[in-house]
Amino acid sequence: MDARRAAELAARNAYGRLVAYLAAQTRDVAAAEDALGDAFLTALNTWPAQGVPARPEAWLLVTARRKLIDTARRGQTQARVLQTLQANTPTAALGPAVDEIVFPDDRLKLLFACAHPAIAPSLHTALMLQTILGLNAQQIASAFLVSPTTMGQRLVRAKTKLRDAGIAFTIPEEKELPARLQAVLEAIYALYTLGWEDVAGRDPRHQGLTQEAIWLARLCVQLMPQEPEAKGLMALMLFCEARTRARRTTEGTYVPLSDQRVELWSQSLLREAEQLLGQAAVAQRLGRFQLEAAIQSAHMQRVRGQATDWEAIALLYEGLLQLAPTLGARVSQAAAIAAARGPAVGLLALEKLPLSEVKHYQPYWALKAHLLHQLGQPVAAREAYQQAIGLCEDAAIREFLLGRSRLLQT
């Protein structure tokens, strides 16, 4: 395997696990990331000449540990870190001992550590995304609609606070878990969404993110089986995942939910999702993810030959907005209202949203264009489509919107 490709593959598959393991020992996320970054650079410089090691991840871990030890030696104030790392470093680091390393998966521990109350709640999700997955500030900033510089500064401050507070990267005591769970679930869902929104499946940065998020959600359900929101999130993602094959044609064309072939939906994933949602309901503690899963469940009734109950969906969105008044939920509620009560009513609901909030939100303009088209306003619809197309980053959805816009010119 090409050395650069091997390093990139190791980075994509193991970055979060390696950072989590190193940070669990050093209690310094920034230092762990710096050491791992140096290890990747060393790999790119040495692997072409020496060959790719049998276990690239283990090699990177050993090299990153050495970097941390060297840094600790230079900084005498980190004697405790040095002692910890030396105690865990194999003596023949680059020899046969590398193959004997067993990687503990500390990502879930790191998630809960990043939800520490000492860190501002507004930074929990961003910090988790970068620490667990290795997303850069630019990628995270695009999801939060802020500049990369601003997001980078916020993340640096959060990591510095983690280090200075000496926050241990371990699972908190059982009594502390519920207070941190929601932040962890939010981050897992954000991770899933990053992968799910890449409809065309062409961005290598997003490959495998949905499965990673589902796996982490399963860990949360296992860790806290009594928490209905963990099951609600798991159900939500499985409902979405069940539609994966139906979202694109064999040629790669985007297919909206209303036009998807239900026979392509995964029956096994739908059954598991319904079972999890039912188990969550038993606790009688309704939350955001349970409501979002219930909305998806309502959409899935088509698989049983039933018409979509748009009034029920609009009502579910009303409840969701009381718990999580996100922009996405408000736009989706307007879409449900339009389907239930007509495009004019839906457009009225949509236009109540402040322009300052929706100016750069692609789903808003796509929905507005669709409703204007239904209302026989082609000029205004074309303008809205142009806004949506200009804001669209996914090639498959862009082509879909271009096709809809061209229909107005005929």
Side-chain angles (χ1 to χ4, degrees), residues 284-368:
Q284 296 186 340
R285 284 187 284 136
L286 195 59
R288 169 198 171 179
F289 292 117
Q290 294 171 73
L291 280 168
E292 292 206 43
I295 291 168
Q296 292 300 318
S297 177
H299 282 296
M300 299 299 101
Q301 296 311 305
R302 283 173 48 206
V303 81
R304 299 183 177 88
Q306 301 177 13
T308 303
D309 190 341
W310 287 106
E311 280 292 355
I313 292 174
L315 184 61
L316 286 169
Y317 271 116
E318 185 176 333
L320 176 61
L321 288 171
Q322 294 178 17
L323 297 176
T326 64
L327 182 57
R330 285 182 286 173
V331 171
S332 295
Q333 183 194 36
I337 290 173
R341 306 168 198 171
V345 182
L347 184 62
L348 183 62
L350 191 66
E351 291 183 335
K352 288 181 180 179
L353 301 177
L355 184 60
S356 59
E357 294 184 30
V358 302
K359 184 177 181 180
H360 301 294
Y361 190 59
Q362 183 267 338
Y364 169 89
W365 295 103
L367 176 59
K368 185 172 184 177

Side-chain angles (χ1 to χ4, degrees), residues 66-404:
R66 286 181 168 179
K67 300 287 185 183
L68 285 168
I69 290 173
D70 290 342
T71 301
R73 284 196 178 109
R74 290 192 296 268
Q76 297 179 358
T77 59
Q78 299 189 42
R80 179 187 57 78
V81 174
L82 177 60
Q83 183 179 9
T84 301
L85 287 169
Q86 287 179 327
N88 288 280
T89 300
T91 54
L94 296 182
V98 168
D99 292 328
E100 298 172 9
I101 295 176
V102 178
F103 286 95
D105 200 324
D106 286 324
R107 281 173 289 185
L108 193 59
K109 294 181 181 180
L110 195 55
L111 278 169
F112 278 94
C114 289
H116 195 282
I119 302 300
S122 60
L123 282 174
H124 284 163
T125 296
L127 184 61
M128 292 175 194
L129 286 174
Q130 188 179 65
T131 302
I132 296 165
L133 189 64
L135 298 182
N136 60 42
Q138 183 175 2
Q139 291 171 285
I140 300 171
S142 65
F144 286 81
L145 302 180
V146 299
S147 72
T149 300
T150 298
M151 180 55 67
Q153 292 171 344
R154 291 177 182 175
L155 287 166
V156 168
R157 286 197 298 270
K159 292 175 187 177
T160 300
K161 191 164 188 177
L162 278 170
R163 181 195 62 210
D164 294 345
I167 298 170
F169 289 97
T170 57
I171 294 287
E173 295 181 12
E174 186 174 357
K175 63 183 179 181
E176 298 175 314
L177 290 177
R180 300 191 189 190
L181 178 63
Q182 190 63 29
V184 171
L185 297 180
E186 294 281 355
I188 293 173
Y189 187 48
L191 180 64
Y192 182 85
T193 302
L194 281 172
W196 174 256
E197 289 182 347
D198 183 17
V199 177
R202 297 171 183 169
D203 192 337
R205 298 172 304 172
H206 296 158
Q207 291 176 3
L209 297 193
T210 56
Q211 293 304 312
E212 179 77 1
I214 290 173
W215 184 82
L216 288 168
R218 287 193 190 279
L219 287 184
C220 283
V221 172
Q222 293 171 15
L223 179 68
M224 306 177 70
Q226 76 283 3
E227 290 294 334
E229 272 295 84
K231 292 177 180 177
L233 174 61
M234 187 72 197
L236 168 60
M237 293 191 296
L238 290 178
F239 276 127
C240 295
E241 200 68 10
R243 305 200 310 268
T244 300
R245 288 180 56 217
R247 298 180 75 208
R248 287 179 292 175
T249 65
T250 54
E251 295 78 23
T253 304
Y254 169 68
V255 183
L257 175 59
S258 58
D259 296 338
Q260 288 176 10
R261 295 167 52 195
V262 297
E263 65 269 20
L264 295 178
W265 293 350
S266 170
Q267 297 293 321
S268 61
L269 291 181
L270 290 177
R271 285 193 297 270
E272 184 181 0
E274 290 288 2
Q275 183 179 27
L276 284 164
L277 187 57
Q279 292 171 357
V282 173
Q284 296 186 340
R285 284 187 284 136
L286 195 59
R288 169 198 171 179
F289 292 117
Q290 294 171 73
L291 280 168
E292 292 206 43
I295 291 168
Q296 292 300 318
S297 177
H299 282 296
M300 299 299 101
Q301 296 311 305
R302 283 173 48 206
V303 81
R304 299 183 177 88
Q306 301 177 13
T308 303
D309 190 341
W310 287 106
E311 280 292 355
I313 292 174
L315 184 61
L316 286 169
Y317 271 116
E318 185 176 333
L320 176 61
L321 288 171
Q322 294 178 17
L323 297 176
T326 64
L327 182 57
R330 285 182 286 173
V331 171
S332 295
Q333 183 194 36
I337 290 173
R341 306 168 198 171
V345 182
L347 184 62
L348 183 62
L350 191 66
E351 291 183 335
K352 288 181 180 179
L353 301 177
L355 184 60
S356 59
E357 294 184 30
V358 302
K359 184 177 181 180
H360 301 294
Y361 190 59
Q362 183 267 338
Y364 169 89
W365 295 103
L367 176 59
K368 185 172 184 177
H370 175 65
L371 297 180
L372 288 168
H373 184 190
Q374 288 185 315
L375 290 169
Q377 300 182 39
V379 176
R382 278 198 299 270
E383 292 178 356
Y385 270 127
Q386 289 306 309
Q387 287 277 6
I389 292 166
L391 293 169
C392 190
E393 296 183 359
D394 187 279
I397 296 180
R398 186 185 302 114
E399 285 300 316
F400 171 78
L401 293 173
L402 282 167
R404 288 290 178 92

Side-chain angles (χ1 to χ4, degrees), residues 10-28:
R12 184 168 68 245
N13 293 339
Y15 182 92
R17 183 163 63 252
L18 294 177
V19 168
Y21 182 62
L22 292 168
Q25 295 180 7
T26 66
R27 300 186 180 184
D28 189 340

